[in-house]
Amino acid sequence: MNGGPIWRSEYPEVPLRPEFVDEEILAALDARPGAVALVDAATGNSLTCGQVADGIRRTAAGLRARGAQRGDVLAIVAGNGVDAVVTMYGGLAAGMALTQAHPLLTPGELVRQFGRTRPRFVVADAMAIPAVSAALAEHMPAAEALFETGDVPSADPAMAPSSAGRSPGDVAFLFNSGGTSGLPKTVVHTHASTTAFLRLFATVPTVRFGPADTMGLVLPISHLFGTAMLSHSLRSGARVAIATPAPGDIERFFRLLADHGATVTAVAPPALIALARHPVVDRYDLAPLRLAISGGAPLPGDVGPAVEDRVGCVVADCFGASECWCPAPAADPPVHGSAGRLLPNHEAVIVDLDTGLRVGAGDVGELWVRGPQVMRGYLGEAAVTAETVDADGWLHSGDLCRFDAAGNLYVVDRLKEMIKVGGATVAPAEVEAELLTHPAVADAAVVGRPDAELGEVPVAYVVPAGEGAALSGGAKFDPNELLDWLAPRVAPWKRVHDVVMVDRIPRSPVGKILRRLLRDGERNAVAQPLDSLPS
């Protein structure tokens, strides 16, 4: 690979020494034991830094007393709450690797995640316990225990394990990702890659927090974006007001910001669109808010200025991915429409898809990134890992991007087949697999349709199984009934918003779904017979 430039950070190189995530968090908590660290916005309960640190150490000791060993996996299936936070870092301090899941996942979805990560212990909140219990009882009898958040066994903090016998190269997090296509994969991040992110991210003035800040956090901490912002906040000494908003209840987010005097928040684009346009925003006092970090999906270029004009805060759009945390936070000051500039210690290239050569400023190609935050790989997927992170350490992001002459990164499109619903990721193949279990569905393809509020929503193209195929009771194929049938089988953000009946699904000669043809039709909002589309 040669040709165009290698882009590097405008910030000076930062000396890094691999560290442990839990020790980074505990050091920050221990420095301010009497300050409030966490507030549960739903209950009003709060914990000081000293109480959180004590809880982390007790949880670690309790897990080790129950037999947890270095490298064992702890699964946490829970919404945002103080107990889930303490459990997270307690598991890390016990030497365990964490896999986390949203509490609205179905038993089948949990079975797939547990099958990949093989947890030894599972912790669930009250909302998730029925689905987790069903998943474990049927498919994972080897898991030794199921705890509810708040009931994780604890022990004398003096018994808490030290870092002796551990390595910063140990696995810390196992995050779900679609990789470049297909069914979800499990991204492996070590303590070293995670602490590199925390230390480097904190050097960027635009996204820097401090003890005077309160983070209003509604991002699911079961996802990398939420975990990143939680850890960054606690390590920076910021107070965190945390909540799990009900689906569609945007006012709960506004209330959290106002009630707790949030100075910073981190959200997916739909929340910023609401801040820019929702009529009820004016009912809330958001004057303390100084910074809103956007991530999880591209932010439309006009939204940031609209929020800044209406609310008076700075909007910082950041580029991130499960495979490399956030290698490009917003510039200082932010450049609207851009996804950010490279962090220290990172470099990137834009590679032409046809020639494989680097291209220069203004030219579009695939973004490759190299730096200390890049994942170790995909769990149990050596071949896919080798395709994604090459021998020279370049992560092939799967994103079509360009740099301008000043080093600002712009995301043009995704090579990935993933659908971004707000900040959540939907793997089309996973939804298709569910659709194909129905006897009235002969073939199916799922693609994203542009949506003004969520960015994209899933749409299913379905071939009925023969003329007059029935969904139930011999009735003629009814797309609405298929929507109702699918809804309880997938998490809410994975539910398709429309079913389009077609004669065939466009496929390549080797059987690969040509999603591009379907996506182009959705983006152009042009109804055309599939037989007329090029193959």
Side-chain angles (χ1 to χ4, degrees):
M1 177 185 65
N2 51 31
I6 296 179
W7 297 91
R8 294 184 173 87
S9 177
E10 64 180 6
Y11 301 108
E13 194 88 355
V14 176
L16 289 178
R17 184 178 71 251
E19 303 286 356
F20 294 100
V21 177
D22 48 288
E23 291 187 351
E24 291 276 297
I25 301 302
L26 285 169
L29 295 170
D30 289 342
R32 306 174 66 247
V36 174
L38 292 171
V39 180
D40 190 319
T43 64
N45 295 333
S46 64
L47 294 177
T48 65
C49 292
Q51 289 171 322
V52 174
D54 182 71
I56 290 171
R57 292 184 171 104
R58 287 182 180 274
T59 299
L63 288 168
R64 291 297 291 265
R66 287 293 300 261
Q69 301 292 319
R70 173 189 178 191
D72 284 344
V73 175
L74 171 66
I76 303 174
V77 188
N80 289 2
V82 296
D83 291 333
V85 172
V86 171
T87 303
M88 278 178 54
Y89 298 112
L92 292 174
M96 304 186 78
L98 300 186
T99 183
Q100 301 175 83
H102 196 285
L104 292 181
L105 291 184
T106 65
E109 291 167 322
L110 289 171
V111 165
R112 289 191 284 273
Q113 182 167 339
F114 293 164
R116 294 192 301 272
T117 57
R118 311 303 297 178
R120 180 169 181 181
F121 295 106
V122 181
V123 176
D125 65 11
M127 181 187 302
I129 279 181
V132 172
S133 298
L136 293 178
E138 185 172 353
H139 298 282
M140 291 287 294
E144 293 189 12
L146 169 65
F147 306 115
E148 184 171 354
T149 53
D151 294 331
V152 179
S154 63
D156 187 328
M159 298 170 55
S162 70
S163 58
R166 299 167 59 197
S167 165
D170 290 347
V171 177
F173 291 103
L174 300 169
F175 288 112
N176 282 337
S177 171
T180 55
S181 65
L183 290 169
K185 298 174 180 64
T186 299
V187 172
V188 178
H189 274 293
T190 64
H191 285 267
S193 65
T194 306
T195 55
F197 157 71
L198 292 173
R199 294 197 167 202
L200 295 173
F201 196 74
T203 67
V204 178
T206 318
V207 294
R208 188 177 294 152
F209 303 164
D213 284 310
T214 295
M215 160 62 81
L217 188 64
V218 296
L219 291 169
I221 60 174
S222 56
H223 294 175
L224 178 139
F225 190 12
T227 292
M229 291 298 100
L230 170 67
S231 299
H232 175 53
S233 300
L234 293 176
R235 184 182 178 277
S236 301
R239 173 175 170 261
V240 178
I242 192 169
T244 303
D249 186 3
I250 192 65
E251 281 201 67
R252 187 176 296 189
F253 168 55
F254 300 153
R255 285 195 297 272
L256 180 145
L257 297 179
D259 291 350
H260 297 277
T263 61
V264 295
T265 190
V267 291
L272 285 168
I273 292 171
L275 280 172
R277 303 172 184 169
H278 204 294
V280 303
V281 169
D282 296 329
R283 301 177 191 171
Y284 297 92
D285 179 10
L286 303 182
L289 190 67
R290 67 172 185 84
L291 173 66
I293 296 174
S294 178
L299 181 69
D302 61 339
V303 173
V307 172
E308 292 179 352
D309 289 344
R310 187 180 192 189
V311 180
C313 68
V314 171
V315 175
D317 195 9
C318 299
F319 174 82
S322 298
E323 290 79 5
C324 57
W325 294 98
C326 177
D332 181 25
V335 176
H336 293 302
S338 166
R341 293 186 183 179
L342 288 176
L343 274 177
N345 303 37
H346 283 73
E347 51 190 2
V349 293
I350 303 295
V351 177
D352 184 271
L353 298 179
D354 295 323
T355 66
L357 300 177
R358 300 195 303 261
V359 296
D363 293 328
V364 175
E366 184 181 11
L367 174 69
W368 293 9
V369 177
R370 184 164 63 184
Q373 297 174 186
V374 171
M375 66 175 181
R376 172 181 290 178
Y378 296 115
L379 185 67
E381 300 272 3
V384 180
T385 297
E387 293 173 359
T388 307
V389 182
D390 65 28
D392 293 321
W394 290 107
L395 170 72
H396 301 201
S397 73
D399 293 294
L400 281 175
C401 299
R402 65 178 174 87
F403 281 102
D404 66 15
N408 297 301
L409 177 68
Y410 294 82
V411 178
V412 177
D413 203 345
R414 290 194 304 276
L415 294 173
K416 300 178 183 180
E417 296 180 341
M418 308 304 292
I419 302 168
K420 285 292 186 72
V421 182
T425 301
V426 177
E430 189 175 25
V431 182
E432 289 158 1
E434 292 289 347
L435 288 168
L436 290 171
T437 65
H438 198 286
V441 175
D443 201 0
V446 174
V447 297
R449 172 180 292 174
D451 182 86
E453 292 188 359
L454 296 175
E456 290 181 297
V457 293
V459 173
Y461 284 75
V462 171
V463 178
E467 187 174 351
L471 283 171
S472 64
K476 187 178 179 181
F477 189 104
D478 181 353
N480 290 325
E481 191 173 346
L482 183 61
L483 291 175
D484 293 340
W485 174 87
L486 179 65
R489 289 168 168 79
V490 295
W493 59 89
K494 300 178 185 177
R495 295 172 186 168
V496 300
H497 287 233
D498 193 11
V499 173
V500 180
M501 294 175 59
V502 294
D503 294 328
R504 67 179 179 88
I505 300 297
R507 293 180 181 272
S508 73
V510 295
K512 182 178 176 61
I513 296 173
L514 299 175
R515 297 185 205 279
R516 173 180 55 82
L517 303 181
L518 299 173
R519 280 197 299 263
D520 287 348
E522 290 292 336
R523 288 171 180 165
N524 296 329
V526 175
Q528 51 183 320
L530 289 179
D531 285 340
S532 70
L533 295 173
S535 58

